[in-house]
Amino acid sequence: MSYAIKVDGKVKLQDISTTKHNGIEEDDAREQTGRLGKELEELQELMFAAGTHGLLIVLQGRDTAGKDGTIRGLSRYINIQGCHVKGFKVPTSEELAHDFLWRVHPHAPAKGLVSIFNRSHYEDVLVVRVHELVPEKVWKKRYDQINEFEQLLAQNNTIIVKICLNISLEEQEKRLMAREEKVAKAWKLSVGDWKEREFADAYTEAYNDALTKCDGDHAPWYIVPADHKWYRDLAVTEILVETLKPYKDDWLRDLEARGEEAKAELAAYRQSLETK
Amino acid sequence: MSYAIKVDGKVKLQDISTTKHNGIEEDDAREQTGRLGKELEELQELMFAAGTHGLLIVLQGRDTAGKDGTIRGLSRYINIQGCHVKGFKVPTSEELAHDFLWRVHPHAPAKGLVSIFNRSHYEDVLVVRVHELVPEKVWKKRYDQINEFEQLLAQNNTIIVKICLNISLEEQEKRLMAREEKVAKAWKLSVGDWKEREFADAYTEAYNDALTKCDGDHAPWYIVPADHKWYRDLAVTEILVETLKPYKDDWLRDLEARGEEAKAELAAYRQSLETK
């Protein structure tokens, strides 16, 4: 993995670059993203056809970090058939009457399919913690609960990739200002986004804990420097390709076996027609 | 509309060309599809942002007609965030215990979103009729029931487009044979597809009734000559652009109004900070 930062041990997001671009320039990055995108397209098709594994992509990041933009970027390569994007917003009263994973579980990917979570169950240890929406003793238990939930999914052949888009507060301010200038973006304006900036440090602390406590081989966290959109898209596409590639040979083998089975069935059918 | 055939009056699918390509050659068609695709991309983004209308795309067609391929083609232009593809397969026992629209209704698009149905409630007057899975007096009522259901969706600002991919039996045979040659496609092989060919005429009759009885201004049917994949993609993309374009100015106005509202809110917030 050349562009994202794999979490390893204790995370201090405040010390991690939001602009690191590893020597690569914009034009090269875009070209490389295109190449990796084609590879991703093929890998998804293979995963869909093999039908043995699902892929769960968790996207987190501060307001304006580029979650929507990342999904738009992936859209160029991911077949909409076989992919489900689920945004998790403020919970409804029915959702709040259940445990915090109740609304999340139904959107886990079936085998063969991709689910992209735009925000996720991690909000329940982020915004919920920052604004004290539940008592500390409740949210403190959630790190273990999340780990067990993700373990369950992983043991059922769900490939899990968790991505934290990391932007600076300066870049965030620029992006919020830009929304005021463009009519096409003005609808995204929200006083809430500005108010949340007052809690930036508390969010950093909450992110650090979530990234540190909920990282594992079965559900790794990646931190993506996200001040440059073109770099972000490259890093995310690379993460996905690198994550899926190790499964490729198995999927091809499964596919071949399924094809042979189907051909045998067809041959038997044809013979039955001839002997009629 | 230059490439698809809008249903108008009584349909006789057997008399409608499956290869008609309206003088256009493959290279020009691909280029035009790309141009229209970009327009579609913008229109979807606008629809998403405006949030006043949903779009329901119903895809029907015989086996191998290219429903999956059409969706893959649209994937290049449609943002996966805001689009939901739902395939309707053989109903489960729970689904069969309900009316035939029960499993369909939850997948109607919310405002701002796109739903693509890969097969749909029309199967309940197609395969169900051809194989007499319910008595005639039951499926006969379904044309009216479908019309009323689609009317309900349309009256709630759902833009409905129904597309019948029309291929010849010769092209179908070629495609079925091709699946035996390519490992990557062999998993799609099914004895069922060959058996269904024996019912080709019954399907034509069932399609003719569905297209004729369930066509309306609020939910028009389009027939797309689908023997050439590149022509099919062009025709489908054009249908979608032509369908959405008339809403563009309204959506822009809505968007502008929402932006102004958000800006006013923001200004009030800023003033409140200053007077603190």
Side-chain angles (χ1 to χ4, degrees), chain B residues 224-249:
Chain B
V224 167
D227 277 2
H228 299 298
K229 294 174 185 177
W230 50 267
Y231 185 84
R232 167 201 79 197
D233 286 346
L234 170 60
V236 168
T237 313
E238 192 200 27
I239 293 169
L240 297 179
V241 169
E242 292 292 319
T243 301
L244 297 182
K245 229 163 41 182
Y247 296 91
K248 191 171 172 179
D249 288 343

PDB file of all heavy atoms in Angstrom, chain B residues 224-249:
ATOM      1  N   VAL B 224     -36.653  -0.936 -26.893  1.00  0.00           N
ATOM      2  CA  VAL B 224     -35.290  -0.659 -27.350  1.00  0.00           C
ATOM      3  C   VAL B 224     -34.771  -1.836 -28.176  1.00  0.00           C
ATOM      4  O   VAL B 224     -34.671  -2.949 -27.661  1.00  0.00           O
ATOM      5  CB  VAL B 224     -34.351  -0.405 -26.152  1.00  0.00           C
ATOM      6  CG1 VAL B 224     -32.889  -0.423 -26.571  1.00  0.00           C
ATOM      7  CG2 VAL B 224     -34.692   0.921 -25.480  1.00  0.00           C
ATOM      8  N   PRO B 225     -34.475  -1.617 -29.451  1.00  0.00           N
ATOM      9  CA  PRO B 225     -33.863  -2.671 -30.271  1.00  0.00           C
ATOM     10  C   PRO B 225     -32.527  -3.045 -29.633  1.00  0.00           C
ATOM     11  O   PRO B 225     -31.668  -2.187 -29.475  1.00  0.00           O
ATOM     12  CB  PRO B 225     -33.655  -1.992 -31.627  1.00  0.00           C
ATOM     13  CG  PRO B 225     -34.597  -0.829 -31.638  1.00  0.00           C
ATOM     14  CD  PRO B 225     -34.666  -0.374 -30.221  1.00  0.00           C
ATOM     15  N   ALA B 226     -32.371  -4.309 -29.246  1.00  0.00           N
ATOM     16  CA  ALA B 226     -31.259  -4.639 -28.343  1.00  0.00           C
ATOM     17  C   ALA B 226     -30.310  -5.699 -28.887  1.00  0.00           C
ATOM     18  O   ALA B 226     -29.477  -6.214 -28.163  1.00  0.00           O
ATOM     19  CB  ALA B 226     -31.816  -5.055 -26.981  1.00  0.00           C
ATOM     20  N   ASP B 227     -30.403  -5.995 -30.188  1.00  0.00           N
ATOM     21  CA  ASP B 227     -29.458  -6.971 -30.742  1.00  0.00           C
ATOM     22  C   ASP B 227     -28.024  -6.437 -30.736  1.00  0.00           C
ATOM     23  O   ASP B 227     -27.070  -7.190 -30.594  1.00  0.00           O
ATOM     24  CB  ASP B 227     -29.860  -7.355 -32.180  1.00  0.00           C
ATOM     25  CG  ASP B 227     -30.928  -8.440 -32.198  1.00  0.00           C
ATOM     26  OD1 ASP B 227     -31.371  -8.857 -31.104  1.00  0.00           O
ATOM     27  OD2 ASP B 227     -31.330  -8.856 -33.296  1.00  0.00           O
ATOM     28  N   HIS B 228     -27.903  -5.106 -30.922  1.00  0.00           N
ATOM     29  CA  HIS B 228     -26.576  -4.466 -30.833  1.00  0.00           C
ATOM     30  C   HIS B 228     -26.455  -3.795 -29.480  1.00  0.00           C
ATOM     31  O   HIS B 228     -27.231  -2.886 -29.156  1.00  0.00           O
ATOM     32  CB  HIS B 228     -26.410  -3.401 -31.914  1.00  0.00           C
ATOM     33  CG  HIS B 228     -26.505  -3.957 -33.305  1.00  0.00           C
ATOM     34  ND1 HIS B 228     -25.621  -4.885 -33.790  1.00  0.00           N
ATOM     35  CD2 HIS B 228     -27.394  -3.713 -34.296  1.00  0.00           C
ATOM     36  CE1 HIS B 228     -25.951  -5.190 -35.038  1.00  0.00           C
ATOM     37  NE2 HIS B 228     -27.022  -4.510 -35.367  1.00  0.00           N
ATOM     38  N   LYS B 229     -25.451  -4.222 -28.716  1.00  0.00           N
ATOM     39  CA  LYS B 229     -25.311  -3.670 -27.360  1.00  0.00           C
ATOM     40  C   LYS B 229     -25.031  -2.165 -27.388  1.00  0.00           C
ATOM     41  O   LYS B 229     -25.514  -1.418 -26.558  1.00  0.00           O
ATOM     42  CB  LYS B 229     -24.205  -4.404 -26.602  1.00  0.00           C
ATOM     43  CG  LYS B 229     -24.569  -5.858 -26.340  1.00  0.00           C
ATOM     44  CD  LYS B 229     -23.420  -6.640 -25.730  1.00  0.00           C
ATOM     45  CE  LYS B 229     -23.810  -8.116 -25.597  1.00  0.00           C
ATOM     46  NZ  LYS B 229     -22.718  -8.944 -25.072  1.00  0.00           N
ATOM     47  N   TRP B 230     -24.204  -1.747 -28.336  1.00  0.00           N
ATOM     48  CA  TRP B 230     -23.841  -0.327 -28.403  1.00  0.00           C
ATOM     49  C   TRP B 230     -25.062   0.530 -28.762  1.00  0.00           C
ATOM     50  O   TRP B 230     -25.181   1.670 -28.323  1.00  0.00           O
ATOM     51  CB  TRP B 230     -22.709  -0.082 -29.401  1.00  0.00           C
ATOM     52  CG  TRP B 230     -22.915  -0.693 -30.759  1.00  0.00           C
ATOM     53  CD1 TRP B 230     -22.487  -1.922 -31.168  1.00  0.00           C
ATOM     54  CD2 TRP B 230     -23.607  -0.109 -31.874  1.00  0.00           C
ATOM     55  NE1 TRP B 230     -22.869  -2.147 -32.469  1.00  0.00           N
ATOM     56  CE2 TRP B 230     -23.551  -1.051 -32.934  1.00  0.00           C
ATOM     57  CE3 TRP B 230     -24.255   1.097 -32.093  1.00  0.00           C
ATOM     58  CZ2 TRP B 230     -24.140  -0.822 -34.187  1.00  0.00           C
ATOM     59  CZ3 TRP B 230     -24.825   1.339 -33.336  1.00  0.00           C
ATOM     60  CH2 TRP B 230     -24.769   0.379 -34.360  1.00  0.00           C
ATOM     61  N   TYR B 231     -25.976  -0.036 -29.549  1.00  0.00           N
ATOM     62  CA  TYR B 231     -27.188   0.711 -29.905  1.00  0.00           C
ATOM     63  C   TYR B 231     -28.124   0.784 -28.702  1.00  0.00           C
ATOM     64  O   TYR B 231     -28.698   1.827 -28.391  1.00  0.00           O
ATOM     65  CB  TYR B 231     -27.887   0.054 -31.084  1.00  0.00           C
ATOM     66  CG  TYR B 231     -29.073   0.856 -31.567  1.00  0.00           C
ATOM     67  CD1 TYR B 231     -28.911   1.902 -32.454  1.00  0.00           C
ATOM     68  CD2 TYR B 231     -30.357   0.588 -31.085  1.00  0.00           C
ATOM     69  CE1 TYR B 231     -29.983   2.661 -32.876  1.00  0.00           C
ATOM     70  CE2 TYR B 231     -31.438   1.340 -31.489  1.00  0.00           C
ATOM     71  CZ  TYR B 231     -31.245   2.376 -32.390  1.00  0.00           C
ATOM     72  OH  TYR B 231     -32.315   3.125 -32.784  1.00  0.00           O
ATOM     73  N   ARG B 232     -28.243  -0.348 -28.032  1.00  0.00           N
ATOM     74  CA  ARG B 232     -29.071  -0.424 -26.818  1.00  0.00           C
ATOM     75  C   ARG B 232     -28.631   0.621 -25.786  1.00  0.00           C
ATOM     76  O   ARG B 232     -29.450   1.362 -25.244  1.00  0.00           O
ATOM     77  CB  ARG B 232     -28.929  -1.839 -26.246  1.00  0.00           C
ATOM     78  CG  ARG B 232     -29.460  -2.009 -24.848  1.00  0.00           C
ATOM     79  CD  ARG B 232     -28.827  -3.231 -24.204  1.00  0.00           C
ATOM     80  NE  ARG B 232     -27.486  -2.942 -23.724  1.00  0.00           N
ATOM     81  CZ  ARG B 232     -26.564  -3.852 -23.406  1.00  0.00           C
ATOM     82  NH1 ARG B 232     -26.832  -5.147 -23.552  1.00  0.00           N
ATOM     83  NH2 ARG B 232     -25.382  -3.504 -22.964  1.00  0.00           N
ATOM     84  N   ASP B 233     -27.316   0.694 -25.534  1.00  0.00           N
ATOM     85  CA  ASP B 233     -26.817   1.647 -24.533  1.00  0.00           C
ATOM     86  C   ASP B 233     -27.122   3.087 -24.936  1.00  0.00           C
ATOM     87  O   ASP B 233     -27.472   3.919 -24.093  1.00  0.00           O
ATOM     88  CB  ASP B 233     -25.309   1.458 -24.321  1.00  0.00           C
ATOM     89  CG  ASP B 233     -25.012   0.192 -23.529  1.00  0.00           C
ATOM     90  OD1 ASP B 233     -25.950  -0.375 -22.934  1.00  0.00           O
ATOM     91  OD2 ASP B 233     -23.837  -0.236 -23.500  1.00  0.00           O
ATOM     92  N   LEU B 234     -26.983   3.370 -26.210  1.00  0.00           N
ATOM     93  CA  LEU B 234     -27.294   4.713 -26.705  1.00  0.00           C
ATOM     94  C   LEU B 234     -28.772   5.023 -26.485  1.00  0.00           C
ATOM     95  O   LEU B 234     -29.131   6.084 -25.955  1.00  0.00           O
ATOM     96  CB  LEU B 234     -26.943   4.808 -28.194  1.00  0.00           C
ATOM     97  CG  LEU B 234     -27.425   6.061 -28.923  1.00  0.00           C
ATOM     98  CD1 LEU B 234     -26.831   7.322 -28.309  1.00  0.00           C
ATOM     99  CD2 LEU B 234     -27.096   6.000 -30.417  1.00  0.00           C
ATOM    100  N   ALA B 235     -29.621   4.091 -26.883  1.00  0.00           N
ATOM    101  CA  ALA B 235     -31.066   4.333 -26.788  1.00  0.00           C
ATOM    102  C   ALA B 235     -31.502   4.524 -25.336  1.00  0.00           C
ATOM    103  O   ALA B 235     -32.279   5.434 -25.021  1.00  0.00           O
ATOM    104  CB  ALA B 235     -31.826   3.173 -27.432  1.00  0.00           C
ATOM    105  N   VAL B 236     -30.980   3.690 -24.445  1.00  0.00           N
ATOM    106  CA  VAL B 236     -31.382   3.781 -23.033  1.00  0.00           C
ATOM    107  C   VAL B 236     -30.912   5.109 -22.428  1.00  0.00           C
ATOM    108  O   VAL B 236     -31.650   5.794 -21.717  1.00  0.00           O
ATOM    109  CB  VAL B 236     -30.821   2.586 -22.227  1.00  0.00           C
ATOM    110  CG1 VAL B 236     -30.987   2.818 -20.733  1.00  0.00           C
ATOM    111  CG2 VAL B 236     -31.516   1.291 -22.644  1.00  0.00           C
ATOM    112  N   THR B 237     -29.664   5.475 -22.731  1.00  0.00           N
ATOM    113  CA  THR B 237     -29.143   6.725 -22.176  1.00  0.00           C
ATOM    114  C   THR B 237     -29.957   7.907 -22.682  1.00  0.00           C
ATOM    115  O   THR B 237     -30.290   8.830 -21.928  1.00  0.00           O
ATOM    116  CB  THR B 237     -27.646   6.890 -22.534  1.00  0.00           C
ATOM    117  OG1 THR B 237     -26.972   5.655 -22.251  1.00  0.00           O
ATOM    118  CG2 THR B 237     -27.000   7.981 -21.712  1.00  0.00           C
ATOM    119  N   GLU B 238     -30.321   7.861 -23.973  1.00  0.00           N
ATOM    120  CA  GLU B 238     -31.124   8.955 -24.529  1.00  0.00           C
ATOM    121  C   GLU B 238     -32.499   9.036 -23.847  1.00  0.00           C
ATOM    122  O   GLU B 238     -32.974  10.124 -23.526  1.00  0.00           O
ATOM    123  CB  GLU B 238     -31.304   8.788 -26.044  1.00  0.00           C
ATOM    124  CG  GLU B 238     -31.867  10.055 -26.682  1.00  0.00           C
ATOM    125  CD  GLU B 238     -32.506   9.819 -28.042  1.00  0.00           C
ATOM    126  OE1 GLU B 238     -32.986   8.691 -28.302  1.00  0.00           O
ATOM    127  OE2 GLU B 238     -32.531  10.768 -28.846  1.00  0.00           O
ATOM    128  N   ILE B 239     -33.116   7.885 -23.648  1.00  0.00           N
ATOM    129  CA  ILE B 239     -34.430   7.890 -22.980  1.00  0.00           C
ATOM    130  C   ILE B 239     -34.335   8.614 -21.632  1.00  0.00           C
ATOM    131  O   ILE B 239     -35.155   9.462 -21.300  1.00  0.00           O
ATOM    132  CB  ILE B 239     -34.930   6.439 -22.722  1.00  0.00           C
ATOM    133  CG1 ILE B 239     -35.246   5.727 -24.034  1.00  0.00           C
ATOM    134  CG2 ILE B 239     -36.162   6.448 -21.810  1.00  0.00           C
ATOM    135  CD1 ILE B 239     -35.496   4.221 -23.860  1.00  0.00           C
ATOM    136  N   LEU B 240     -33.312   8.272 -20.860  1.00  0.00           N
ATOM    137  CA  LEU B 240     -33.211   8.838 -19.512  1.00  0.00           C
ATOM    138  C   LEU B 240     -32.958  10.347 -19.552  1.00  0.00           C
ATOM    139  O   LEU B 240     -33.577  11.114 -18.811  1.00  0.00           O
ATOM    140  CB  LEU B 240     -32.120   8.114 -18.716  1.00  0.00           C
ATOM    141  CG  LEU B 240     -32.410   6.622 -18.494  1.00  0.00           C
ATOM    142  CD1 LEU B 240     -31.276   5.958 -17.717  1.00  0.00           C
ATOM    143  CD2 LEU B 240     -33.730   6.413 -17.754  1.00  0.00           C
ATOM    144  N   VAL B 241     -32.059  10.763 -20.450  1.00  0.00           N
ATOM    145  CA  VAL B 241     -31.778  12.202 -20.556  1.00  0.00           C
ATOM    146  C   VAL B 241     -33.033  12.952 -20.988  1.00  0.00           C
ATOM    147  O   VAL B 241     -33.405  13.974 -20.394  1.00  0.00           O
ATOM    148  CB  VAL B 241     -30.611  12.458 -21.531  1.00  0.00           C
ATOM    149  CG1 VAL B 241     -30.495  13.939 -21.864  1.00  0.00           C
ATOM    150  CG2 VAL B 241     -29.303  11.949 -20.929  1.00  0.00           C
ATOM    151  N   GLU B 242     -33.714  12.426 -22.007  1.00  0.00           N
ATOM    152  CA  GLU B 242     -34.910  13.119 -22.513  1.00  0.00           C
ATOM    153  C   GLU B 242     -36.017  13.160 -21.456  1.00  0.00           C
ATOM    154  O   GLU B 242     -36.815  14.089 -21.411  1.00  0.00           O
ATOM    155  CB  GLU B 242     -35.424  12.422 -23.781  1.00  0.00           C
ATOM    156  CG  GLU B 242     -34.486  12.550 -24.980  1.00  0.00           C
ATOM    157  CD  GLU B 242     -34.392  13.980 -25.496  1.00  0.00           C
ATOM    158  OE1 GLU B 242     -35.429  14.652 -25.548  1.00  0.00           O
ATOM    159  OE2 GLU B 242     -33.267  14.418 -25.822  1.00  0.00           O
ATOM    160  N   THR B 243     -36.051  12.132 -20.628  1.00  0.00           N
ATOM    161  CA  THR B 243     -37.090  12.080 -19.588  1.00  0.00           C
ATOM    162  C   THR B 243     -36.824  13.093 -18.481  1.00  0.00           C
ATOM    163  O   THR B 243     -37.741  13.725 -17.959  1.00  0.00           O
ATOM    164  CB  THR B 243     -37.149  10.665 -18.978  1.00  0.00           C
ATOM    165  OG1 THR B 243     -37.444   9.739 -20.015  1.00  0.00           O
ATOM    166  CG2 THR B 243     -38.223  10.582 -17.909  1.00  0.00           C
ATOM    167  N   LEU B 244     -35.547  13.253 -18.119  1.00  0.00           N
ATOM    168  CA  LEU B 244     -35.231  14.123 -16.978  1.00  0.00           C
ATOM    169  C   LEU B 244     -35.110  15.602 -17.369  1.00  0.00           C
ATOM    170  O   LEU B 244     -35.367  16.487 -16.555  1.00  0.00           O
ATOM    171  CB  LEU B 244     -33.930  13.663 -16.304  1.00  0.00           C
ATOM    172  CG  LEU B 244     -33.963  12.262 -15.677  1.00  0.00           C
ATOM    173  CD1 LEU B 244     -32.629  11.951 -14.991  1.00  0.00           C
ATOM    174  CD2 LEU B 244     -35.098  12.139 -14.650  1.00  0.00           C
ATOM    175  N   LYS B 245     -34.708  15.849 -18.619  1.00  0.00           N
ATOM    176  CA  LYS B 245     -34.390  17.225 -19.023  1.00  0.00           C
ATOM    177  C   LYS B 245     -35.513  18.233 -18.743  1.00  0.00           C
ATOM    178  O   LYS B 245     -35.225  19.340 -18.275  1.00  0.00           O
ATOM    179  CB  LYS B 245     -33.973  17.279 -20.493  1.00  0.00           C
ATOM    180  CG  LYS B 245     -32.704  18.063 -20.662  1.00  0.00           C
ATOM    181  CD  LYS B 245     -31.962  17.890 -21.965  1.00  0.00           C
ATOM    182  CE  LYS B 245     -32.796  17.820 -23.222  1.00  0.00           C
ATOM    183  NZ  LYS B 245     -31.901  17.610 -24.397  1.00  0.00           N
ATOM    184  N   PRO B 246     -36.755  17.885 -18.978  1.00  0.00           N
ATOM    185  CA  PRO B 246     -37.818  18.873 -18.747  1.00  0.00           C
ATOM    186  C   PRO B 246     -37.908  19.363 -17.302  1.00  0.00           C
ATOM    187  O   PRO B 246     -38.524  20.387 -17.032  1.00  0.00           O
ATOM    188  CB  PRO B 246     -39.101  18.111 -19.127  1.00  0.00           C
ATOM    189  CG  PRO B 246     -38.647  17.004 -20.021  1.00  0.00           C
ATOM    190  CD  PRO B 246     -37.276  16.633 -19.567  1.00  0.00           C
ATOM    191  N   TYR B 247     -37.307  18.615 -16.359  1.00  0.00           N
ATOM    192  CA  TYR B 247     -37.391  19.024 -14.951  1.00  0.00           C
ATOM    193  C   TYR B 247     -36.257  19.954 -14.542  1.00  0.00           C
ATOM    194  O   TYR B 247     -36.268  20.525 -13.465  1.00  0.00           O
ATOM    195  CB  TYR B 247     -37.344  17.782 -14.048  1.00  0.00           C
ATOM    196  CG  TYR B 247     -38.520  16.856 -14.239  1.00  0.00           C
ATOM    197  CD1 TYR B 247     -38.473  15.818 -15.161  1.00  0.00           C
ATOM    198  CD2 TYR B 247     -39.679  17.027 -13.487  1.00  0.00           C
ATOM    199  CE1 TYR B 247     -39.554  14.964 -15.330  1.00  0.00           C
ATOM    200  CE2 TYR B 247     -40.764  16.181 -13.656  1.00  0.00           C
ATOM    201  CZ  TYR B 247     -40.694  15.160 -14.575  1.00  0.00           C
ATOM    202  OH  TYR B 247     -41.761  14.334 -14.753  1.00  0.00           O
ATOM    203  N   LYS B 248     -35.259  20.070 -15.423  1.00  0.00           N
ATOM    204  CA  LYS B 248     -34.004  20.733 -15.053  1.00  0.00           C
ATOM    205  C   LYS B 248     -34.193  22.139 -14.467  1.00  0.00           C
ATOM    206  O   LYS B 248     -33.657  22.452 -13.409  1.00  0.00           O
ATOM    207  CB  LYS B 248     -33.095  20.795 -16.288  1.00  0.00           C
ATOM    208  CG  LYS B 248     -31.689  21.202 -15.972  1.00  0.00           C
ATOM    209  CD  LYS B 248     -30.791  21.043 -17.191  1.00  0.00           C
ATOM    210  CE  LYS B 248     -29.421  21.644 -16.882  1.00  0.00           C
ATOM    211  NZ  LYS B 248     -28.504  21.493 -18.032  1.00  0.00           N
ATOM    212  N   ASP B 249     -34.971  22.963 -15.169  1.00  0.00           N
ATOM    213  CA  ASP B 249     -35.115  24.351 -14.707  1.00  0.00           C
ATOM    214  C   ASP B 249     -35.779  24.419 -13.335  1.00  0.00           C
ATOM    215  O   ASP B 249     -35.354  25.193 -12.475  1.00  0.00           O
ATOM    216  CB  ASP B 249     -35.917  25.161 -15.721  1.00  0.00           C
ATOM    217  CG  ASP B 249     -35.106  25.422 -16.983  1.00  0.00           C
ATOM    218  OD1 ASP B 249     -33.869  25.263 -16.923  1.00  0.00           O
ATOM    219  OD2 ASP B 249     -35.706  25.765 -18.015  1.00  0.00           O
TER     220      ASP B 249
END
